[in-house]
Amino acid sequence: MKAIVSIAVALLLVTGSRPAFPASRQARDVYEDAGAVRGPLSDFWYKVRSEWSGYMNPDPQPPPGGGPLKQRTFVTAPPNRAWVSLVFGALTPKPLSHLFAEFLSEWKLAEGRNWPYAQIYDRRWDRMGKQGRTQNIIMIGTPWTLEPVGPLAGQLGFTVAPGRVEIGKRRYRGDNLILIFIAPNPANPGKYALVITGTNDEGLMQAGHLPYGETDYVLFRGRRLLESGFFSKTKGAPAWGPPDRLEATTTHSGFAIRETAHYTFWYETDRHSRDEVDALATEKEAAYPSLAALLPDGARGAPRITYYLYPTVDRKIDETARADIVHLDLAASEIHAVFSETQRLAEPYLDLMVLLHRVLGPTRAPRLERALAIALAPQFQGHDVDPMAARLFQEARGRESAVLKSLREQDVTTPADGPPSEQDVLLSGFMRHLVLGHGRERVYEFLRRASPRNLDDAFREVYGERLNDALGEWAALLRSSFIGVASRTERDDPRPEAAQSPAVIEPGREARTGDDIARGLDLMKVRDDAEAARVFEEHLRIEPSHPVALVSLARIRFRAGRFEEAERTALSALTACAEPGSHATACPRTDAWSHLTLGRIEALRGRYVAARVELTHPAVTEGPDPVPTLAEYWLETMGQSRNQLTVISHLKREARVSLRNLDWDRAEEDLNKALQIDPTDSEAHRLLSEVYHKHHEYWAWQIRYLNDVHPDYNVLGRMTLPDEDRTTLVYGVEMLHNVDSFNDLVLKGNLELMKAQSLYAVEIQNLHQEGERFLLEEHDTSEALRTYLRALDLNGDFFLSHFLVGRCYFLMERFDEARRSFEEVLKRRPGDASVLAWTHTYLGYIALEQEELTAAKHAFEKALSQVSSGKVGALAREGLGKVSTIRLLMQGTPERP
């Protein structure tokens, strides 16, 4: 299996060290020479896996970039030797040290689930013995917590200090910088060291989200790649030198800064006006005292909060590689948010979450931090938390387990830095209940003590009762709040006759009313929104509470981008239907469209939980077509940018990271989302085929290994084990993996690959046609070459693309490159005689240009043997004539071969 390297796979295959094995001595001597090991970063795991897999695979193939696999199938490693050592430093602040310990523990546990018999020899640096320090080693820590990191980084040209990283003359600043690099182990140059360090101790725990690269080192700001490159290496040298090849990018270039007493705002002057930022700054400073008053008693030294404001999701992806509308970097007290006319997500809970994190944290329950911030904030997504939590609790059918799940399904390696989900709002409703019933200080104490592993014990210590009992009490209050409150779509008679009081309509007006509404709806169907709006507005002057006119006008205003007016009109339509009247038959449809419109407005504002509450309303899900279909579409896509190309590109990028991290389900989910947007995306089909094939390869590797370890049974077959006296077969053992689903992975992968190849063929044909247009119509050879090279990237084995690229190089008089392209054509032995004839003709003229007369003569003769007539035949004969003429002129001169 191709090595898949990421921080999430950074504890891959580990066990004892290499035993003496004379048959492999020569190869081992070569690869123990650190100067001969050329990187890249993933070589650390190629090295480990090459040595470990020698125990499992009798006929292995070396992975790309890795060392030779050793033939050690029947050799057992000594138990007192470590394959990989993990060292880290001691962290003195208690909350952070606990969190860091759980981070390491969960990290190793995750790898134990991914790889059978994965082991790691982990110790603090001061407790790691000499033998452990001389193995392949992982170092996780900063120079001030882990002693060897600073000198090793300094030898390679790095300076790492709190808040800054220097690489040569390049300086990077920030509390969220993470540097990952590979180097020879300073204690044993024949082994590797993988170092994970950065400018902030807490920030290191974000390393689990970062993919490695194909380089010797990578530097990230958050999840954004800043620089990567290769160290200088000299064969035979025991150490590597500073980078000699690198690529560097910057972030937030051209951003202006606006500072106030407690905030710093970064924004783009060409996309955000100074007045907009000033208004936001004034609003934030006005609300700050009330937020600071919510902090624990005696809290001092609240941090300055930094906001990065982006005009669009696309721009945010460019700068941060995150597609969320808003995310936090708690280690650096930074909030990254989209800030536009529709998406103003500078919500108070974000500020409060940063403040609480600095005063109370970092804690071992990050989602609890976010839930508490939402519970204490004055509002969430423009709404009060309690009714939103009650609505979501009703949707969860009143199950307390939904809240308990959000409490317990936490992972310290996955902090709550992204947008909240429905479960977070449920949890915040419960936290609000605790605050109102017991006060803030006890909630803060619970947060300090809470951990996914001791949640019940911490709750009992602080509140003196069981967590389940407190949840049951809160659930009973919520149920009582919506007893008897049913959706109008669930009522047998939404408008009881006795309760109706029909509005008085002047004689003859009723027929005209129906005509106006019908005409307005017809105009909407043909997208004449301006005339339709005029009809509905005129009708509302006579009958201000007509629900169909109101909801239709709301839809028109939504389509025009006038969201605030659309929201007010949709709410008026819901109010009109709530009042007794004569439009009972129209109200189910009106309610459906009103809630759908409100949900879409909230989605465009980036308030996804509020949008979900509206889009899953029973009036919508049980409404008339096409309302449920539209709601489902918005539920699927509202979390992404409206620019489909950007969304697809981001989904594919995330799928590649998931694939490297062995997260098959997440990669498949992202790629299926991309294909829902554009089913003709050939690259998405190809990536999906790779997901299925890699998943199958992974299981096949595990199965082969387990069969080698346990040769007495087949882990894929049905099997039974004997009882103690070995006379009867008494029970079965569950199979490792279902055979059908195991084989289906290959079939699904082949199907997706076939789709990709079919789509590539169409795309390549289109690119060839586009190149012909540039070449023949616009005489732009450079642009034609770029187009043909894109086709070549899609399929490097297609002979026609090589031929067209060679033709462009020939016309540009880049003869050496043209020759290489035409030789690639001949290597693929095309069956098209015309292409072969033209290829030999071009090669003949290139040889003629370089005075290689014999080669030119042979090329022209081969061309004529394929096609002797037409334009290509005439050019080949003309070339032969030129060869003969030159030979006559050069008689007596030695000919170049």
Side-chain angles (χ1 to χ4, degrees):
M1 182 192 295
K2 182 180 177 181
I4 300 176
V5 182
S6 70
I7 286 292
V9 190
L11 304 174
L12 194 55
L13 292 172
V14 287
T15 177
S17 179
R18 300 181 301 184
F21 193 67
S24 301
R25 184 66 206 175
Q26 183 177 2
R28 194 164 68 252
D29 286 343
V30 173
Y31 280 85
E32 280 180 352
D33 181 359
V37 181
R38 302 296 301 172
L41 188 62
S42 53
D43 263 0
F44 181 87
W45 292 114
Y46 287 146
K47 178 81 169 177
V48 174
R49 290 189 58 189
S50 69
E51 297 176 351
W52 171 240
S53 57
Y55 289 93
M56 301 176 296
N57 195 342
D59 186 22
Q61 295 296 322
L69 299 175
K70 312 301 188 299
Q71 303 288 340
R72 301 178 183 175
T73 307
F74 304 107
V75 179
T76 302
N80 62 336
R81 300 291 294 276
W83 281 86
V84 170
S85 300
L86 169 65
V87 295
F88 46 89
L91 298 176
T92 50
K94 206 165 188 179
L96 186 57
S97 62
H98 285 322
L99 192 62
F100 193 73
E102 289 193 19
F103 159 68
L104 292 174
S105 176
E106 293 186 9
W107 196 10
K108 291 183 292 184
L109 184 63
E111 288 310 314
R113 289 192 296 264
N114 285 337
W115 298 93
Y117 302 99
Q119 300 173 26
I120 190 80
Y121 184 64
D122 59 307
R123 292 288 187 277
R124 267 177 35 188
W125 175 253
D126 55 356
R127 297 178 182 175
M128 179 67 73
K130 179 180 179 181
Q131 187 166 340
R133 296 184 182 188
T134 57
Q135 304 302 315
N136 292 312
I137 191 168
I138 304 172
M139 300 179 182
I140 303 180
T142 54
W144 48 93
T145 61
L146 186 56
E147 177 186 340
V149 168
L152 181 56
Q155 293 174 11
L156 298 168
F158 297 122
T159 301
V160 182
R164 65 184 174 89
V165 170
E166 297 180 7
I167 308 176
K169 297 182 179 180
R170 299 174 300 285
R171 297 182 179 181
Y172 299 92
R173 296 190 179 276
D175 290 329
N176 55 348
L177 298 177
I178 301 175
L179 175 65
I180 306 166
F181 62 89
I182 185 175
N185 186 339
N188 179 7
K191 297 284 188 177
Y192 280 76
L194 176 64
V195 181
I196 302 167
T197 186
T199 58
N200 181 289
D201 293 313
E202 182 185 348
L204 294 183
M205 288 178 284
Q206 306 303 310
H209 302 287
L210 304 177
Y212 283 8
E214 299 277 329
T215 53
D216 292 339
Y217 73 93
V218 286
L219 176 67
F220 292 92
R221 172 177 283 123
R223 299 186 194 179
R224 176 72 153 79
L225 177 64
L226 293 181
E227 183 173 321
S228 63
F230 295 87
F231 297 125
S232 58
K233 306 177 182 75
T234 303
K235 187 173 182 178
W240 297 348
D244 58 0
R245 287 181 294 150
L246 61 96
E247 290 185 6
T249 59
T250 59
T251 60
H252 304 98
S253 299
F255 275 63
I257 298 176
R258 166 80 161 88
E259 289 193 336
T260 63
H262 302 99
Y263 291 89
T264 299
F265 299 93
W266 290 62
Y267 65 98
E268 291 183 283
T269 54
D270 58 337
R271 304 296 294 273
H272 294 123
S273 68
R274 181 61 184 263
D275 292 339
E276 284 181 307
V277 179
D278 285 346
L280 176 63
T282 302
E283 176 188 340
K284 286 293 179 185
E285 285 294 342
Y288 187 86
S290 62
L291 297 179
L294 297 172
L295 299 179
D297 294 339
R300 294 290 184 270
R304 171 179 290 274
I305 301 174
T306 301
Y307 266 95
Y308 286 87
L309 307 177
Y310 305 95
T312 64
V313 179
D314 303 346
R315 190 73 182 93
K316 185 172 180 292
I317 292 174
D318 290 341
E319 293 293 341
T320 65
R322 295 282 297 269
D324 311 317
I325 299 294
V326 60
H327 80 268
L328 292 85
D329 191 331
L330 292 175
S333 301
E334 294 176 353
I335 301 170
H336 297 258
V338 175
F339 188 74
S340 63
E341 292 183 0
T342 57
Q343 294 170 320
R344 297 182 180 270
L345 286 185
E347 294 201 48
Y349 89 87
L350 298 169
D351 310 59
L352 193 54
M353 191 172 174
V354 172
L355 296 174
L356 288 174
H357 185 80
R358 272 292 177 262
V359 174
L360 298 174
T363 71
R364 288 175 285 171
R367 289 185 64 180
L368 208 55
E369 288 185 50
R370 178 166 62 186
L372 181 57
I374 294 173
L376 295 176
Q379 64 176 14
F380 173 70
Q381 298 192 357
H383 303 272
D384 185 42
V385 171
D386 286 335
M388 291 182 72
R391 173 72 181 83
L392 293 169
F393 193 68
Q394 183 183 15
E395 185 182 339
R397 303 186 186 279
R399 293 195 303 270
E400 294 88 339
S401 59
V403 185
L404 202 58
K405 182 180 179 183
S406 62
L407 273 167
R408 286 186 171 142
E409 279 197 355
Q410 302 177 49
D411 185 345
V412 295
T413 63
T414 309
D417 59 354
S421 65
E422 299 81 47
Q423 283 189 343
D424 293 301
V425 177
L426 276 174
L427 181 55
S428 67
F430 177 58
M431 299 300 290
R432 173 79 67 91
H433 168 72
L434 293 178
V435 170
L436 294 177
H438 303 279
R440 293 196 306 269
E441 291 300 324
R442 295 181 75 177
V443 177
Y444 296 147
E445 184 61 26
F446 172 55
L447 183 58
R448 289 189 185 99
R449 299 187 183 194
S451 168
R453 300 176 183 179
N454 68 345
L455 201 62
D456 297 285
D457 294 339
F459 193 87
R460 190 191 298 271
E461 290 172 5
V462 174
Y463 288 99
E465 62 176 323
R466 296 174 62 248
L467 177 59
N468 284 339
D469 294 340
L471 280 170
E473 178 187 345
W474 174 68
L477 290 174
L478 281 186
R479 290 190 185 96
S480 65
S481 69
F482 51 72
I483 286 177
V485 180
S487 169
R488 187 175 299 113
T489 58
E490 298 170 341
R491 297 175 184 168
D492 294 331
D493 185 6
R495 292 289 187 276
E497 199 65 34
Q500 293 184 13
S501 55
V504 178
I505 300 177
E506 61 181 276
R509 178 60 189 164
E510 186 174 355
R512 295 198 302 274
T513 295
D515 291 342
D516 289 344
I517 299 299
R519 187 160 67 90
L521 293 174
D522 289 338
L523 290 169
M524 284 183 65
K525 290 178 182 177
V526 297
R527 293 282 175 169
D528 191 352
D529 288 352
E531 182 62 21
R534 188 192 64 77
V535 171
F536 290 130
E537 287 170 352
E538 182 180 339
H539 180 78
L540 288 171
R541 293 193 189 97
I542 301 169
E543 193 177 357
S545 297
H546 194 288
V548 178
L550 285 169
V551 74
S552 301
L553 191 58
R555 291 168 59 192
I556 292 172
R557 288 172 175 171
F558 170 78
R559 294 199 308 213
R562 297 154 59 186
F563 299 132
E564 293 184 2
E565 296 176 43
E567 182 181 26
R568 287 196 298 267
T569 311
L571 290 172
S572 298
L574 290 173
T575 303
C577 273
E579 297 294 332
S582 59
H583 301 288
T585 56
C587 277
R589 187 177 187 87
T590 298
D591 286 355
W593 278 106
S594 297
H595 284 292
L596 175 66
T597 302
L598 291 172
R600 292 190 290 187
I601 292 170
E602 296 289 21
L604 290 176
R605 287 173 173 167
R607 298 172 172 178
Y608 296 145
V609 177
R612 181 173 181 80
V613 169
E614 297 291 349
L615 295 172
T616 59
H617 195 281
V620 174
T621 57
E622 300 174 15
D625 290 333
V627 174
T629 304
L630 287 171
E632 186 177 354
Y633 169 78
W634 276 81
L635 283 169
E636 286 290 330
T637 61
M638 65 182 177
Q640 302 291 344
S641 162
R642 264 68 63 198
N643 184 328
Q644 289 188 339
L645 293 177
T646 302
V647 173
I648 293 172
S649 175
H650 177 75
L651 287 171
K652 289 189 291 189
R653 183 168 59 221
E654 290 294 304
R656 291 189 187 96
V657 173
S658 299
L659 181 59
R660 287 195 294 270
N661 293 345
L662 308 183
D663 192 347
W664 322 112
D665 294 337
R666 179 66 180 273
E668 182 181 5
E669 180 184 350
D670 286 340
L671 291 171
N672 282 327
K673 283 183 180 180
L675 290 171
Q676 285 176 2
I677 298 172
D678 183 9
T680 64
D681 191 301
S682 51
E683 186 181 15
H685 282 293
R686 184 189 61 77
L687 285 172
L688 189 54
S689 74
E690 187 175 355
V691 169
Y692 291 136
H693 286 144
K694 290 294 184 184
H695 195 181
H696 176 271
E697 193 174 358
Y698 166 79
W699 276 110
W701 177 87
Q702 280 200 336
I703 290 164
R704 285 197 305 270
Y705 175 61
L706 292 179
N707 279 334
D708 288 342
V709 174
H710 304 285
D712 54 329
Y713 66 82
N714 185 345
V715 295
L716 269 182
R718 186 177 302 280
M719 61 187 178
T720 53
L721 298 179
D723 60 3
E724 291 183 0
D725 59 6
R726 299 184 180 275
T727 57
T728 57
L729 300 176
V730 292
Y731 60 91
V733 177
E734 184 180 355
M735 290 186 295
L736 171 68
H737 201 275
N738 181 274
V739 178
D740 292 335
S741 61
F742 177 73
N743 292 329
D744 282 348
L745 290 171
V746 177
L747 298 178
K748 290 194 290 188
N750 291 342
L751 178 62
E752 293 300 327
L753 186 60
M754 186 171 61
K755 292 178 183 177
Q757 290 171 342
S758 300
L759 292 167
Y760 277 144
V762 174
E763 192 170 350
I764 289 170
Q765 183 180 8
N766 293 336
L767 287 170
H768 286 177
Q769 293 175 352
E770 184 72 4
E772 291 293 319
R773 184 179 67 82
F774 282 120
L775 192 63
L776 301 179
E777 296 180 13
E778 301 184 14
H779 305 290
D780 190 341
T781 309
S782 298
E783 193 61 37
L785 176 61
R786 280 193 288 270
T787 305
Y788 293 142
L789 288 173
R790 283 170 53 200
L792 199 58
D793 288 338
L794 294 177
N795 186 356
D797 290 328
F798 190 26
F799 69 90
L800 186 56
S801 297
H802 283 288
F803 171 78
L804 295 172
V805 167
R807 183 176 66 176
C808 287
Y809 283 138
F810 181 86
L811 295 174
M812 298 167 73
E813 298 185 356
R814 295 162 62 175
F815 297 122
D816 290 336
E817 293 164 289
R819 182 200 293 272
R820 286 193 291 269
S821 293
F822 290 130
E823 288 173 349
E824 290 294 328
V825 175
L826 298 178
K827 286 180 184 178
R828 284 154 180 80
R829 299 181 180 179
D832 192 319
S834 176
V835 171
L836 280 172
W838 277 107
T839 300
H840 287 300
T841 301
Y842 279 123
L843 285 172
Y845 277 100
I846 292 171
L848 198 62
E849 178 69 23
Q850 296 176 348
E851 299 182 2
E852 299 171 357
L853 301 183
T854 302
K857 179 176 180 293
H858 290 162
F860 291 134
E861 288 173 347
K862 287 181 181 179
L864 290 171
S865 68
Q866 295 291 330
V867 177
S868 59
S869 59
K871 186 174 182 180
V872 64
L875 286 172
R877 279 191 292 272
E878 183 180 344
L880 280 175
K882 290 184 177 181
V883 169
S884 300
T885 302
I886 294 173
R887 280 182 169 172
L888 288 173
L889 295 174
M890 295 178 63
Q891 284 182 356
T893 303
E895 181 183 327
R896 293 179 56 185

